[in-house]
């Protein structure tokens, strides 16, 4: 049989069968565990093929894609798995009309999107039209926030070995091992090169054979073997795609796209386009618009720039390695997922293209990223269709690398605090390294950044009797201790000083600026009193730049709102001289005598406007 044909006839009804529904209790159990379901109520004609469940724009959405032999109006029907009775697809279902058109292989592709999914819910779905439905498949949502796992796979490249059945078997086995080991994984993430030849639909059919691609949302990355034909963008329904980003030739396929999943911003760029400026501009736009919504930022592209094998010294890779890393660091991206080199590698934390911390040890199982520090990971082959040997010269950017000529996959665990990447063997490497033995593992956390926008205040209110006044001001500490208040007749009194604020303004136009502050309530356990009882007397202790101290604010015990209302520490008017000034302020606290004794703290928040 020749595998070079680019067109296909309609598939016979027996091409994909799935698991037939049995008793109602069995089918419900299957749905809740994400199993594949095939309806026996309406026999599938299988004129629909190449069905894929994709990630949506966020965790409440799923994208669908499939091919059909005829150009007919089609829908995806989605229903609650709990409503399946005796194997029949539920009558209460949501139908979403599909879009699409003629493909380069002479078939018709169909795209649809399901929105407003509920969390922790099992669904069933089918595609087609009345009387011509596909088999029935199932998927389930999980929590819409919090920690989650996903699986990362490198270069299946079905057909690369010239043995399509063998490549398919390896790919299917890796998916089986990974999804059975991590049954709660919420995405299947590919590093690209799904097939060896973009125009070969037999290879695509083999790549899409595993039913896991219809049960767990798939994330497709565009590899160099996926272009030269439009099949990639006709098979894969990627969310928020911008075809103009990194635009290429008329035969280019796909563009740059992004999605947010559980507070993680994922960006996936089509690195087949060498227009790095276009990619960088697109990433800057997406981070500007959506970066604040994410706790982690993940970038994916196929052509690894920190890999260990034959492609590491290719001219196009060297070019990307010279241009992209600084932009990636500047954008605050945390992790970059890559493929292309068919060997496993992870970099040291890299900042603007150089090792971020010279003290980081090779193969460390945990790393802490400072600002701009990025972890780059390159996946080995998930199918075993092709491997590249490591270059003997080694590379200074590599923390760990591995090539054993056995299939790999990576299990990635994401939480608010950590990003763990565990790479495992999906086939044994000798007796000492069985299936699911670990190739490499690293946990990424972030360096804790100090809060420079506030200063903590503390005061101790004594029991209702005269007490000794003790105070201590440490100008280098964030906690300003006003000591123990003293009895002043009708109130308790405490004094102190803020940490001095130094302001430098060298802008040519001398625009106005101001520093203001506002204090919250003083709290001690379940007791509190209003911050309005705190006042201050600002001063300029080191003059310069025409800086002017703000007006004194009296404690609200005597009049007004005290520092519970925003008050100016210092300012300079428009057209002021260039230079620096140091601002300070004495603090005066007057607390009513009926305040319960205790040690109270409040936060003084400083704001700069210019």
């Amino acid at each position: 049989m020749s595998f070079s044909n680019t067109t296909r006839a309609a598939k016979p009804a027996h091409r994909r069968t799935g698991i037939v529904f049995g008793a109602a209790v069995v089918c419900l159990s299957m749905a809740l565990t994400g199993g594949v379901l095939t309806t026996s109520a309406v026999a599938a004609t299988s004129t629909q093929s190449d069905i894929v469940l994709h990630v949506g724009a966020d965790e409440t959405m799923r994208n669908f894609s499939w091919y059909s032999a005829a150009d007919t109006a089609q829908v995806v029907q989605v229903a609650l798995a709990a409503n399946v009775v005796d194997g029949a697809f539920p009558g209460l279902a949501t139908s979403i009309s599909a879009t699409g058109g003629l493909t380069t292989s002479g078939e018709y592709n169909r795209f649809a999107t399901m929105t407003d999914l509920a969390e922790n819910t099992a669904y069933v779905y089918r595609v087609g039209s009345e009387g011509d439905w596909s088999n029935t498949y199932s998927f389930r949502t999980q929590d819409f926030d919090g920690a989650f796992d996903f699986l990362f796979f490198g270069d299946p490249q079905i057909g690369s070995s010239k043995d399509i059945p063998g490549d398919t078997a390896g790919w299917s086995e890796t998916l089986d091992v990974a999804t059975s080991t991590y049954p709660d994984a919420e995405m299947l993430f590919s590093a690209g090169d799904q097939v060896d030849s973009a125009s070969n639909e037999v290879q695509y059919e083999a790549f899409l054979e595993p039913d896991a691609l219809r049960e767990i949302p798939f994330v497709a990355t565009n590899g160099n073997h996926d272009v030269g034909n439009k099949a990639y963008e006709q098979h894969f329904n990627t969310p928020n795609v911008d075809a103009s980003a990194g635009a290429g030739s008329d035969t280019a396929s796909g563009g740059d796209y992004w999605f947010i999943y559980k507070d993680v911003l994922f960006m996936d760029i089509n690195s087949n386009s060498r227009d790095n400026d276009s990619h960088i501009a697109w990433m800057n736009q997406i981070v500007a618009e959506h970066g604040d919504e994410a706790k982690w930022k993940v970038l994916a592209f196929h052509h690894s720039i920190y890999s260990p094998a034959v492609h590491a010294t290719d001219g196009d890779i060297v070019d990307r390695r010279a241009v992209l890393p600084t932009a990636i660091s500047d954008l605050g991206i945390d992790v970059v997922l890559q493929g292309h080199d068919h060997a496993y590698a992870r970099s040291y934390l890299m900042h603007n293209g150089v090792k971020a911390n010279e003290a980081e040890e090779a193969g460390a199982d945990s790393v802490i990223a400072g600002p701009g520090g990025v972890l780059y990971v390159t996946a080995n082959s998930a199918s075993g269709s092709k491997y590249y040997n490591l270059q003997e010269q080694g590379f200074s950017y590599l923390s760990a690398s591995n090539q054993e000529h056995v299939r790999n996959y990576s299990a990635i665990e994401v939480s608010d605090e950590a990003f763990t990447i565990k790479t495992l063997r999906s086939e044994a490497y000798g007796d000492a390294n069985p299936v699911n033995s670990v190739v490499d593992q690293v946990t990424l956390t972030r360096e804790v950044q100090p809060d420079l926008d506030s200063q903590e205040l503390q005061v101790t209110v004594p029991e209702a009797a005269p007490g000794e006044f003790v105070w201590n001001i440490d100008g280098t500490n964030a906690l300003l201790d006003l000591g123990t208040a003293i009895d002043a007749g009708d109130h308790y009194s405490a004094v102190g000083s803020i940490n001095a604020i130094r302001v430098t303004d060298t802008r040519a136009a001398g625009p106005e600026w101001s520093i203001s502050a506002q204090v919250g309530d003083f709290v001690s356990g379940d007791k509190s009193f209003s911050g309005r009882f705190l006042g201050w007397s600002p001063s300029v202790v080191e003059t310069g730049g025409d800086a002017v101290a703000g007006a004194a604010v009296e404690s609200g015990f005597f009049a007004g709102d005290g520092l519970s209302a925003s008050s100016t520490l210092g300012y300079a008017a428009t057209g002021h001289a260039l230079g620096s000034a140091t601002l300070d302020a004495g603090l005066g606290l007057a607390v009513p005598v009926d305040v319960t004794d205790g040690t109270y703290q409040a936060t003084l928040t400083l704001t700069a406007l210019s």
Side-chain angles (χ1 to χ4, degrees), residues 246-266:
S249 67
D250 291 340
T251 59
S253 188
D256 297 349
Y257 72 95
W258 65 274
F259 61 95
I260 290 180
Y261 195 89
K262 292 190 178 182
D263 297 328
V264 179
L265 173 61
F266 289 91

Side-chain angles (χ1 to χ4, degrees), residues 73-162:
Q74 300 203 358
V75 302
V76 58
Q77 283 194 334
V78 182
L80 294 173
N83 290 340
V84 173
V85 177
D86 294 333
F89 195 89
L92 184 61
T94 299
S95 294
I96 302 105
S97 296
T99 60
L102 184 66
T103 69
T104 50
S105 59
E107 298 168 276
Y108 298 89
N109 77 320
R110 298 289 181 257
F111 283 0
T113 297
M114 178 68 180
T115 62
D116 299 321
L117 296 169
E119 62 182 342
N120 296 308
T121 303
Y123 293 91
V124 292
Y125 72 95
R126 61 185 181 182
V127 302
S129 57
E130 197 61 42
D132 183 21
W133 294 112
S134 70
N135 289 340
T136 300
Y137 299 97
S138 66
F139 68 90
R140 61 189 173 95
T141 60
Q142 299 187 48
D143 291 336
F144 282 171
D145 56 21
F148 69 101
D149 301 343
F150 69 97
L151 301 169
F152 178 52
F153 305 94
D155 297 62
Q157 204 170 332
I158 303 300
S160 176
S161 71
K162 311 307 178 185

Side-chain angles (χ1 to χ4, degrees), residues 354-402:
V354 298
K355 188 177 179 181
N357 179 6
E358 286 301 327
E360 183 184 337
E361 297 182 358
D365 58 8
S366 63
V367 292
I368 303 173
V374 186
L375 178 65
Y376 294 79
V377 175
T378 305
N380 201 349
S381 172
S383 67
S385 65
K386 180 169 66 178
Y387 301 104
Y388 290 137
N389 292 326
L390 306 181
Q391 290 205 36
E392 293 183 1
Q393 69 182 32
F395 298 97
S396 61
Y397 51 72
L398 289 180
S399 173
S401 60
N402 179 273

Side-chain angles (χ1 to χ4, degrees), residues 13 43 182 208 227 252 255 258 265 328 331 340 343 432 442 476 499 541 543 595:
Y182 294 89
L208 297 173
V227 293
W258 65 274
L265 173 61
I328 292 170
L331 286 167
H340 192 51
V442 62
T476 64
N499 289 327
V541 296
T543 60
V595 171

Side-chain angles (χ1 to χ4, degrees), residues 297-438:
K297 301 182 189 73
V298 177
L299 174 65
F301 55 88
H302 179 68
H303 296 79
S304 174
I305 57 176
Y306 291 120
S307 69
V310 297
H311 285 312
T313 49
D314 290 352
D316 64 311
I317 300 299
V318 172
D319 175 60
R320 293 183 183 92
R321 190 158 58 235
V323 175
L324 291 175
T326 296
I328 292 170
S329 289
D330 288 347
L331 286 167
I333 291 167
D334 300 289
V335 176
V336 179
L337 302 176
Q338 308 159 107
H340 192 51
D341 219 7
H342 296 254
Y344 172 76
R346 70 162 153 115
S347 72
Y348 293 104
L349 287 173
M350 305 297 289
H351 183 205
N352 293 349
V354 298
K355 188 177 179 181
N357 179 6
E358 286 301 327
E360 183 184 337
E361 297 182 358
D365 58 8
S366 63
V367 292
I368 303 173
V374 186
L375 178 65
Y376 294 79
V377 175
T378 305
N380 201 349
S381 172
S383 67
S385 65
K386 180 169 66 178
Y387 301 104
Y388 290 137
N389 292 326
L390 306 181
Q391 290 205 36
E392 293 183 1
Q393 69 182 32
F395 298 97
S396 61
Y397 51 72
L398 289 180
S399 173
S401 60
N402 179 273
Q403 182 56 280
E404 300 167 339
H405 293 256
V406 300
R407 300 186 307 271
N408 291 175
Y409 72 95
S410 295
I412 300 179
E413 304 170 10
V414 184
S415 68
D416 288 351
E417 298 79 21
F419 200 104
T420 298
I421 304 173
K422 181 188 294 185
T423 299
L424 306 103
R425 300 172 178 89
S426 57
E427 65 176 311
Y429 180 62
D431 294 339
N433 297 290
V435 170
N436 275 332
S437 54
V438 176

Side-chain angles (χ1 to χ4, degrees), residues 5-53:
N5 293 335
T6 61
T7 61
R8 297 176 293 178
K11 301 341 182 255
H14 64 271
R15 188 173 73 89
R16 295 187 180 120
T17 56
I19 300 173
V20 178
F21 275 125
V25 65
V26 174
C27 74
L28 180 57
S29 173
M30 293 292 288
L32 291 175
T33 57
V36 178
L37 309 177
T38 302
T39 179
S40 58
V42 178
T45 64
S46 290
T47 58
Q48 293 77 32
S49 64
D50 297 10
I51 302 168
V52 183
L53 175 71

